[in-house]
Amino acid sequence: MTTPHDTTPQYPFSAVVGMDDLRLALLLNAVSPAVGGVLVRGEKGTAKSTAVRALSALMPAVDVVGGCRFACAPDAPDPGCPDGPHGTGAAEERPTRMVELPVGASEDRLVGALDIERALSEGVKAFEPGLLADAHRGILYVDEVNLLHDHLVDLLLDAAAMGASYVEREGVSVRHAARFLLVGTMNPEEGELRPQLLDRFGLTVEVAASREPDLRVEVVRRRLAYDADPAGFAARWAAEEDALRRRIATARELLPGVTLGDAALRQIAATCAAFEVDGMRADIVMARTATALAAWAGRTEVLEEDVRQAALLALPHRRRRNPFDAPGLDEDKLDQTLEEFGADEGTGGDDDPEPDGPDDGPGGGGPEGGGCPPQDGGPDESAPGPELPHQQEREAPQEQPAAPEQQESGRTPEPAEQRAPGAGGEKAAVGAAEPFRTRRLDVPGLGEGADGRRSRARTAHGRTTGARRPHGALGKLHLAATVQAAAPHQRVRGRHGPGLVVRRDDLREAVREGREGNLVLFVVDASGSMAARKRMSAVKGAVLSLLLDAYQRRDKIGMITFRGTGAELALPPTSSVEAGAARLEQLPTGGRTPLSEGLLRAHEVLRVERMRDASRRPLLVVVTDGRATGGPEPVARAARAARLLAAQGTASVVVDCEAGPVRLGLAGELARELQGTAITLDELRADSVSALVRTVQGNRKAA
């Protein structure tokens, strides 16, 4: 939706405390929209949306053709504009628009709607523009962009790649220009972004709440002052806002004259090659970012410090990494690459008199360089203030050892083995074995859940399997069925000439079948019977492999562990598969095997999730050897809990972890009680001899 016209002023961009990288990335895009937008990653409550929304007030106004709904530029109107052709009418100046795309928006709301009935019966293109038209030559902002449905992501990718939006309905099409600055915010705990869309963001920044008390106090003080008197607060920051606007305008004028020399280009290419980024988009984005940094600093030449800062903003989300590795850049490797390819090029290598790099130079963190934008715009910018603790805080994480799930060198058991064993026979956690490609496990039947890549479902995209009368707004037209429905009534309707007389009741929409994402709930046995070091490592490797598969298939996941005397919801259902991998890595083992408690906890979790989202079908994955030793009548109680899940229609699979030459087959008995399927760890592998794609058998059998 377009930002509503409200008399309450936006929170001033200049008043945002700290977050130097975020403010710099947004301002660079204001200077040069060709940089390609910003993706802001961070925990909730860090003012990501506040900073992004405040940017629109700093953007220069745009000239548009009067009356054009698609914001055509008067000096270069779109020749294919649906409101065109444009003559020499008067131009209008308007503020740059900030258009917000809701996560749950429909396809028609994004790209616009075409009146199919009028198009077929009257031959006219009655088109209502969507959000992409509103965002043309402005900012398209997507909050929680990682939760955007796949079909909307596909449309965004097409528009970003072609600079235009196409609306097609069975041969009738409308096209209009759609070039916008794409800005997205996301909380990584709620799931990652599709790689294709991730690469479309020019820059990415990580934000986190400061742990420095003085900085937090300043954040609260300013927010309370704004809430108490928005107009008065904005007035107090008006001078700083005007200074930023003037500086953006000056940098835009300077930008075409900035020289990107061969030495800087060589450093850019070498850096992208060193970090093994895919394709050439990273090189282009780095070049544009470095040029914008130089213009922002008031220079006409790109220096090494600009290249370094551009790499820190443009490469973290593009380097090759595993899905569970956090984005980031090895700054020592970056400095080494820049030094190697810049020492003899006169771009600030070994000849630089300041050995500490750009932070101490004129283009570093100060107002004249590319390090960060001015905070207050006043003469006391360089004095110690709220930003100084923030800068110290940003250095602090380098002194902390990385968490095991964030190390690129792979998962190893050493960090876990160094922990002291817990009480009650608990054994230290072991690392997971190397993950592998798993078989696809499906939920039987045909669902109607969120778009994904696991189970069969009725979706807005996919192969056409039939036609039906539309419920509400018409989706994808089924042309043959529409003509067939209208044909018998042509004589009664007085048809004359070649046109087909079509009425609303004749319209039929296509029924399509695709894939949905499911809720995959893992129930993992962490009892003493699973505690053999090599065995538990293999089990963790299998669960990690299933988590990777869930990540790729756009599932929600949850994890329950059981050992000792009870079961624990280690991970509530979430889209963050990274969180599941982290909890799995830290999972200790030991104690008895309360299998029934794990199954009963799964039943409760699924009951609650069914009330929250009835359309997302669950898949229960029980990872166990089938033993039940905890509590009174453990075997009978586990069987009753399994039958309770089966009665709810829960599709399930039991991953049999039993090892040794003599096997009791207890996991198979559990699978029969669940009315599901049992597979061994070896059969879970996609490349095993018996790994045929098999639909998980729930209690519902195909007719």
Side-chain angles (χ1 to χ4, degrees):
M1 58 186 291
T2 305
T3 303
H5 298 288
D6 192 351
T7 56
T8 303
Q10 287 276 13
Y11 190 93
F13 188 89
S14 305
V16 174
V17 178
M19 297 197 298
D20 301 339
D21 289 340
L22 171 58
R23 292 188 291 124
L24 175 61
L26 292 172
L27 288 169
L28 291 178
N29 276 273
V31 171
S32 176
V35 167
V38 187
L39 174 65
V40 188
R41 295 166 47 96
E43 59 196 24
K44 54 185 177 294
T46 51
K48 302 186 297 292
S49 300
T50 299
V52 172
R53 292 189 176 102
L55 176 67
S56 60
L58 301 178
M59 298 289 286
V62 295
D63 291 329
V64 298
V65 173
C68 177
R69 298 175 296 167
F70 301 88
C72 282
D75 55 344
D78 179 13
C81 177
D83 285 353
H86 297 299
T88 57
E92 298 177 356
E93 184 180 86
R94 73 169 193 205
T96 297
R97 286 178 176 172
M98 166 80 77
V99 178
E100 295 190 33
L101 170 60
V103 170
S106 66
E107 180 177 330
D108 285 347
R109 185 70 187 98
L110 178 61
V111 300
L114 189 65
D115 191 330
I116 300 299
E117 184 175 359
R118 291 189 62 193
L120 288 176
S121 60
E122 303 176 27
V124 298
K125 296 180 181 179
F127 180 69
E128 183 65 28
L131 296 178
L132 290 180
D134 292 341
H136 180 48
R137 303 178 66 202
I139 302 171
L140 182 63
Y141 171 50
V142 190
D143 193 15
E144 306 295 350
V145 64
N146 52 322
L147 304 182
L148 205 61
H149 291 302
D150 276 358
H151 68 284
L152 297 182
V153 171
D154 293 337
L155 294 170
L156 274 183
L157 287 172
D158 290 342
M162 297 183 294
S165 174
Y166 291 84
V167 183
E168 298 190 7
R169 295 291 188 273
E170 303 296 338
V172 181
S173 64
V174 173
R175 173 212 166 275
H176 64 82
R179 292 182 294 276
F180 46 81
L181 182 63
L182 181 61
V183 180
T185 56
M186 60 174 283
N187 182 352
E189 293 180 357
E190 297 173 344
E192 281 295 338
L193 200 60
R194 275 177 56 181
Q196 296 92 331
L197 183 57
L198 183 64
D199 189 50
R200 282 291 170 185
F201 287 97
L203 311 178
T204 184
V205 292
E206 298 277 339
V207 297
S210 173
R211 300 297 181 259
E212 173 59 42
D214 290 343
L215 192 63
R216 297 174 74 96
V217 166
E218 185 63 21
V219 171
V220 175
R221 181 182 292 118
R222 294 187 186 183
R223 186 69 212 190
L224 292 178
Y226 171 77
D227 291 341
D229 183 10
F233 186 84
R236 289 195 294 273
W237 288 90
E240 286 77 5
E241 293 285 278
D242 289 340
L244 271 181
R245 291 190 192 94
R246 290 193 299 270
R247 188 172 176 187
I248 291 172
T250 301
R252 280 194 168 193
E253 294 176 359
L254 185 62
L255 185 66
V258 175
T259 301
L260 181 65
D262 290 342
L265 278 173
R266 181 177 173 83
Q267 285 184 315
I268 289 170
T271 301
C272 293
F275 286 96
E276 299 182 333
V277 297
D278 293 326
M280 295 297 298
R281 183 173 286 117
D283 303 63
I284 297 171
V285 171
M286 269 192 69
R288 290 171 174 167
T289 305
T291 304
L293 280 162
W296 177 250
R299 289 185 268 101
T300 57
E301 181 183 3
V302 173
L303 304 181
E304 180 178 306
E305 61 201 52
D306 301 322
V307 176
R308 186 182 192 278
Q309 183 67 59
L312 292 174
L313 293 173
L315 295 189
H317 61 302
R318 290 189 168 90
R319 67 173 180 82
R320 291 185 180 179
R321 60 187 180 94
N322 292 324
F324 300 149
D325 293 335
L329 219 58
D330 185 339
E331 295 195 31
D332 291 338
K333 181 178 179 180
L334 173 61
D335 291 336
Q336 181 180 355
T337 303
L338 293 175
E339 181 179 359
E340 179 181 353
F341 288 89
D344 298 326
E345 304 293 344
T347 56
D350 292 341
D351 295 333
D352 192 340
E354 295 293 337
D356 291 333
D359 288 342
D360 295 328
E368 296 303 321
C372 67
Q375 175 71 15
D376 296 327
D380 58 343
E381 287 176 336
S382 59
E387 292 189 359
L388 183 57
H390 174 70
Q391 294 168 353
Q392 293 171 348
E393 178 209 4
R394 290 198 304 171
E395 298 296 329
Q398 299 178 3
E399 301 172 4
Q400 302 286 341
E405 66 271 15
Q406 294 176 332
Q407 296 175 353
E408 292 188 75
S409 56
R411 292 172 173 80
T412 57
E414 287 79 9
E417 291 173 353
Q418 294 172 0
R419 302 174 192 162
E426 179 180 305
K427 297 185 179 181
V430 299
E434 190 70 21
F436 52 85
R437 189 167 64 90
T438 67
R439 296 164 49 181
R440 189 180 72 208
L441 305 174
D442 295 359
V443 177
L446 194 64
E448 295 183 347
D451 286 346
R453 301 184 182 91
R454 184 172 296 279
S455 305
R456 295 173 53 227
R458 295 186 183 93
T459 61
H461 300 80
R463 63 186 182 91
T464 300
T465 59
R468 66 182 179 188
R469 291 180 181 272
H471 303 291
L474 178 68
K476 297 287 186 179
L477 179 73
H478 195 296
L479 183 58
T482 299
V483 172
Q484 186 177 8
H489 309 291
Q490 296 305 297
R491 181 174 298 177
V492 175
R493 295 173 181 172
R495 170 188 170 186
H496 298 286
L500 188 66
V501 181
V502 180
R503 294 180 179 172
R504 177 70 185 178
D505 291 342
D506 301 328
L507 298 179
R508 299 292 184 271
E509 67 180 4
V511 177
R512 296 174 180 261
E513 182 178 310
R515 293 275 172 184
E516 68 177 359
N518 298 109
L519 167 60
V520 182
L521 182 61
F522 294 92
V523 181
V524 182
D525 186 348
S527 64
S529 65
M530 303 280 287
R533 187 162 297 277
K534 179 180 289 188
R535 185 180 178 194
M536 196 60 197
S537 178
V539 169
K540 285 189 175 183
V543 178
L544 180 63
S545 302
L546 289 167
L547 285 171
L548 279 164
D549 183 67
Y551 167 79
Q552 294 165 351
R553 299 189 187 280
R554 309 284 289 177
D555 295 317
K556 288 183 67 175
I557 60 110
M559 185 182 299
I560 294 171
T561 62
F562 60 92
R563 63 185 178 90
T565 59
E568 175 189 3
L569 181 59
L571 181 70
T574 175
S575 297
S576 176
V577 184
E578 286 181 340
R583 303 292 171 85
L584 178 69
E585 186 75 25
Q586 300 164 5
L587 177 65
T589 57
R592 303 182 71 83
T593 312
L595 176 59
S596 60
E597 298 301 320
L599 297 177
L600 290 173
R601 190 63 184 273
H603 176 269
E604 178 62 19
V605 170
L606 293 179
R607 183 187 67 82
V608 173
E609 288 302 309
R610 195 175 292 114
M611 290 189 296
R612 290 176 176 171
D613 186 359
S615 64
R616 188 180 287 270
R617 298 185 296 162
L619 172 62
L620 182 68
V621 179
V622 185
V623 185
T624 181
D625 57 8
R627 296 176 184 270
T629 61
E633 299 184 344
V635 176
R637 183 175 167 84
R640 289 195 297 270
R643 290 194 291 270
L644 182 62
L645 284 163
Q648 296 295 323
T650 304
S652 60
V653 58
V654 178
V655 180
D656 186 357
C657 301
E658 191 174 20
V662 179
R663 305 197 178 196
L664 303 178
L666 299 176
E669 293 181 12
L670 175 62
R672 285 190 288 274
E673 295 288 1
L674 288 167
Q675 297 186 20
T677 301
I679 58 175
T680 66
L681 287 174
D682 289 337
E683 291 172 337
L684 186 62
R685 292 179 176 271
D687 54 358
S688 66
V689 175
S690 60
L692 300 175
V693 176
R694 183 193 307 174
T695 299
V696 177
Q697 298 300 316
N699 67 320
R700 294 170 293 177
K701 303 297 182 181

